[in-house]
Amino acid sequence: MTQSDFTRLAAMIFGLFSLIVAIAAVPEALNRAGSIGADSIRFAMIAISVAAGVVFLRARATIAMLRRIAGSTGTGPLRFCCALVMPVPVLINSLSGIVPYWAGLCIMGAFLIAFVFPGLAFRGVIVTASSALSMQDLGTLAKPMIHRNRWILYGYSAATGMLVLPFIFFIYAPQVILSEAYRPVGEWLAFGLPLGVIGITMLPLFWVVPAAARPRTLPGLTVCTAVTAFLAVAGYNIMLLRSVPAIAARIGGSEIVLSYPILTVEPDQTGRFCSRSVQIGTDAGPVKLCNFSPEMFEALTQSETLQITGKSTWMGQVASVIDVPG
């Protein structure tokens, strides 16, 4: 098998894999609908998987297009975009488990070799002189404008810091049973706040692009902004809908015992991130709890209610003990 044959085969299999897992994930995503933030991320990832499938199934044309673009922009931005898209179908596959986990990893590995590192699809690409500006160039151009006004500087510094926050909170993100009062507030903040932060941090870069460099700079900058916004929304969902309520409960919550009705029981053990799950009804809507031990799960299948003990605030409750009443 030649290098060209391998890259085309890797692209076609990845495209087919992306389409299959996206189609299979739609019913599961609709079944889990209920949270604006989580639903937005879930369906956005399905859309990305579908788009990747459509693009990479046309392997020959797509590889030719990528090589042509790399000739003017360099291979770095394209490798970066491929690296971001690469894990999306594998994550989407965790919803349905239609493709074996090991097969998904093998497909992702072949795609990695073909399009990221060492990037066989880009071997032999000759990069021509380009008027496109790099992110470093844009940062250099925007720096005087940001520092000229201290309010812009303060706002930009605060927004940049807020992009880092979700990664700090990610280390502590237990599942929380959100309250009816906090859930809609948290969901709107988790969606709107990161978009506002991205707007503050990225708009200066758009403003400083010289007219001559816009045709080749703005497309890449737009893609970078969209990817950053997607990651920011995902990070803020974890921070505001899990970490913040959990930390608030640990610090200032009071210990309470609450019982919830069991809506559905799913014994599927093929899921890598959520197996032996139970969906309970709360005042704020259905909540899915995952990864129970076989003994506990067997007891839950024989019960109509689930009892949770844990600290709680107006934001929600963090479970420390989950049991069957009686």
Side-chain angles (χ1 to χ4, degrees):
M1 180 182 291
T2 66
Q3 180 177 298
S4 299
D5 291 337
F6 175 80
T7 54
R8 282 198 295 270
L9 185 61
M12 285 190 293
I13 293 176
F14 182 80
L16 185 62
F17 171 63
S18 299
L19 278 179
I20 290 173
V21 299
I23 293 170
V26 171
E28 285 291 328
L30 291 173
N31 186 47
R32 300 184 187 189
S35 167
I36 294 175
D39 292 345
S40 300
I41 295 172
R42 201 174 289 126
F43 284 105
M45 293 179 72
I46 290 174
I48 291 172
S49 190
V50 169
V54 171
V55 169
F56 284 101
L57 264 179
R58 302 175 65 251
R60 189 183 297 273
T62 297
I63 292 171
M65 178 188 69
L66 292 176
R67 289 178 63 86
R68 193 163 54 248
I69 295 172
S72 58
T73 64
T75 63
L78 294 177
R79 290 174 192 255
F80 177 71
C81 290
C82 288
L84 289 175
V85 171
M86 180 176 64
V88 172
V90 176
L91 295 174
I92 289 298
N93 186 45
S94 66
L95 289 175
S96 66
I98 191 170
V99 177
Y101 190 63
W102 63 266
L105 289 180
C106 290
I107 293 169
M108 190 170 70
F111 186 83
L112 173 75
I113 294 171
F115 293 96
V116 182
F117 183 82
L120 300 181
F122 302 113
R123 288 278 175 88
V125 170
I126 299 174
V127 181
T128 59
S130 172
S131 59
L133 299 177
S134 66
M135 292 297 289
Q136 184 176 355
D137 297 330
L138 292 173
T140 302
L141 291 173
K143 189 174 180 179
M145 181 190 69
I146 295 171
H147 283 267
R148 197 176 299 128
N149 187 308
R150 66 175 183 175
W151 294 110
I152 295 178
L153 176 61
Y154 293 158
Y156 191 83
S157 301
T160 304
M162 290 176 73
L163 281 179
V164 180
L165 276 178
F167 296 99
I168 298 174
F169 280 93
F170 188 78
I171 61 177
Y172 182 67
Q175 189 159 12
V176 178
I177 301 170
L178 297 176
S179 68
E180 188 178 13
Y182 178 73
R183 183 171 181 173
V185 176
E187 287 177 349
W188 282 111
L189 284 176
F191 187 74
L193 193 59
L195 296 183
V197 168
I198 292 298
I200 293 173
T201 53
M202 299 302 289
L203 276 179
L205 303 182
F206 282 90
W207 287 337
V208 298
V209 179
R214 285 174 186 168
R216 292 197 173 186
T217 302
L218 291 183
L221 184 57
T222 303
V223 170
C224 181
T225 302
V227 170
T228 307
F230 173 75
L231 294 175
V233 170
Y236 268 81
N237 266 269
I238 293 172
M239 182 177 76
L240 294 176
L241 300 182
R242 288 197 173 195
S243 299
V244 170
I247 292 172
R250 295 291 187 191
I251 295 175
S254 54
E255 191 89 6
I256 62 172
V257 180
L258 294 174
S259 294
Y260 301 95
I262 296 176
L263 303 180
T264 59
V265 176
E266 300 178 19
D268 179 26
Q269 299 184 35
T270 60
R272 295 292 166 175
F273 303 104
C274 184
S275 62
R276 290 191 294 270
S277 61
V278 173
Q279 190 174 61
I280 61 174
T282 72
D283 293 338
V287 173
K288 192 171 189 177
L289 304 175
C290 302
N291 304 323
F292 288 95
S293 66
E295 296 79 13
M296 182 65 186
F297 187 77
E298 181 64 27
L300 291 173
T301 59
Q302 307 299 323
S303 176
E304 294 183 354
T305 58
L306 179 148
Q307 184 174 285
I308 294 180
T309 304
K311 289 190 173 182
S312 176
T313 65
W314 73 274
M315 292 181 175
Q317 182 187 25
V318 179
S320 57
V321 178
I322 298 177
D323 207 347
V324 176

